[in-house]
């Protein structure tokens, strides 16, 4: 009986593939909306193999094997994680700033200039420096994105309900039909015209909840120079995502 009713191989949560002699862990996910097998490399994470709802593990393994060279090339080009460490350099609104721990127990992150170099003065113990700085970046991003979202909402005649900062691994923003917008806080690290583009993009979804020609015309209506920010993200987005990871 077992010869005719073999158990279907279970889909594991992860698998391993060898890239240049090194074992690389690949996260495995089943996506209800996926129509085919897909392999991706998020900006600040490991490879992800996505299966459609009725996908078979044997087919998924074969697909992964066929994508070996593509994945190897992408991993070689992937930017290194850039953590917020004392003495390190991080961009803020497109301008490099050096991180300097003040050693003070209390206080907020402050902007300053030291011998012609822009610096970020971060209080607290060094062990908590990255968290303090990330929280400060989130506050700055929220302020900037709230202002630009309100600007584009007024131009397009729509209303934004809430704005929240997220730390997505592969998305710069998302918008619901109810007017709730999520943004990736790392946008505050980019030049202002990049943040402005993403704000215009997400607010435009309140007019067109798709990526049709009408949607892109809406983005361009509120931000005629949208191509500049879009091109910058395409060229530098992966490196931007690596910050704070």
């Amino acid at each position: 009986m077992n010869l005719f009713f073999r158990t279907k191989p279970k889909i594991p949560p992860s698998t391993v593939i060898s890239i240049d002699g090194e074992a690389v862990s690949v996260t495995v996910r089943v996506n209800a909306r996926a129509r085919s097998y897909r392999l991706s490399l998020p900006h600040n994470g490991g490879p992800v193999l996505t299966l459609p709802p009725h996908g078979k593990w044997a087919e998924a393994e074969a697909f992964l094997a066929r994508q070996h060279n593509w994945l190897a090339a992408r991993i070689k080009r992937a930017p290194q994680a850039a953590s917020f460490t004392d003495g390190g350099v991080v961009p803020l609104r497109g301008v490099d700033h050096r991180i300097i721990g003040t050693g003070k127990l209390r206080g907020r992150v402050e902007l300053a200039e030291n011998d012609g170099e822009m610096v970020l003065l971060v209080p607290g113990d060094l062990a908590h420096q990255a968290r303090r700085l990330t929280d400060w970046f989130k506050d700055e991003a929220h302020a900037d994105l709230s202002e630009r979202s309100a600007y584009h909402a007024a131009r397009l005649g729509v209303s934004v309900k809430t704005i929240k900062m997220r730390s997505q691994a592969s998305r710069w923003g998302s918008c619901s039909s109810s007017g709730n917008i999520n943004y990736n806080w790392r946008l505050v690290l980019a030049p202002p015209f990049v943040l402005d583009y993403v704000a215009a993009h997400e607010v435009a979804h309140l007019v067109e909840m798709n990526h049709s020609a009408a949607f892109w015309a809406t983005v361009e209506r509120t931000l005629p120079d949208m191509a500049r920010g879009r091109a910058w993200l395409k060229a530098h987005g992966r490196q931007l995502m690596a910050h704070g990871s």
Side-chain angles (χ1 to χ4, degrees):
M1 185 67 70
N2 290 336
L3 293 176
F4 298 98
F5 297 97
R6 291 179 179 177
T7 302
K8 180 181 178 180
K10 292 184 177 180
I11 297 175
S14 65
T15 187
V16 175
I17 186 172
S18 177
I19 301 291
D20 293 332
E22 295 187 9
V24 176
S25 179
V26 180
T27 299
V28 179
R29 297 174 181 168
V30 176
N31 189 322
R33 294 180 295 179
R35 296 184 178 180
S36 60
Y37 298 99
R38 184 173 71 251
L39 183 62
S40 60
L41 184 61
H43 294 294
N44 60 349
V48 177
L49 175 62
T50 301
L51 283 67
H54 303 294
K56 298 178 180 179
W57 180 236
E59 293 179 353
E61 283 188 303
F63 172 79
L64 181 60
R66 293 195 299 272
Q67 299 300 313
H68 178 278
N69 291 341
W70 176 89
L71 182 59
R74 290 295 294 271
I75 288 177
K76 287 181 180 179
R77 297 199 303 267
Q80 297 298 311
S83 58
F84 299 147
T85 57
D86 192 49
V89 175
V90 61
L92 171 63
R93 300 183 179 95
V95 178
D96 283 344
H97 288 65
R98 189 167 299 280
I99 302 169
I100 297 179
T102 64
K104 297 179 181 179
L105 296 179
R106 299 181 182 278
R108 285 178 53 82
V109 174
E110 296 180 0
L111 293 169
E113 185 175 345
N114 182 21
D115 291 333
E117 181 181 48
M118 297 303 298
V119 299
L120 290 166
L121 303 176
V122 186
D125 188 276
L126 290 180
H128 305 296
Q129 182 173 268
R131 178 184 58 79
R132 280 179 174 259
L133 189 53
T134 298
D135 289 344
W136 185 81
F137 278 139
K138 289 180 179 179
D139 289 342
E140 293 294 298
H142 191 278
D144 287 5
L145 285 160
S146 294
E147 190 275 325
R148 297 315 296 167
S149 296
Y151 171 82
H152 293 296
R155 285 175 61 84
L156 295 177
V158 295
S159 297
V160 176
K161 185 177 179 181
T162 63
I163 290 177
K164 294 183 180 180
M165 296 300 105
R166 301 298 188 195
S167 187
Q168 302 101 320
S170 60
R171 303 182 72 177
W172 296 112
S174 61
C175 178
S176 71
S177 58
S178 59
N180 299 315
I181 299 180
N182 294 324
Y183 288 112
N184 194 311
W185 63 266
R186 292 178 180 84
L187 287 167
V188 78
L189 307 181
F193 69 86
V194 178
L195 178 147
D196 196 24
Y197 160 68
V198 178
H201 182 118
E202 297 307 329
V203 171
H205 276 308
L206 296 176
V207 179
E208 296 283 345
M209 290 297 293
N210 50 58
H211 285 102
S212 63
F215 165 78
W216 290 112
T218 302
V219 180
E220 191 170 23
R221 175 154 55 93
T222 187
L223 186 66
D225 195 24
M226 72 167 196
R228 185 185 180 200
R230 190 180 182 190
W232 192 98
L233 274 181
K234 185 176 182 179
H236 306 288
R238 290 188 64 83
Q239 184 59 57
L240 194 66
M241 278 288 192
H243 286 288
S245 58

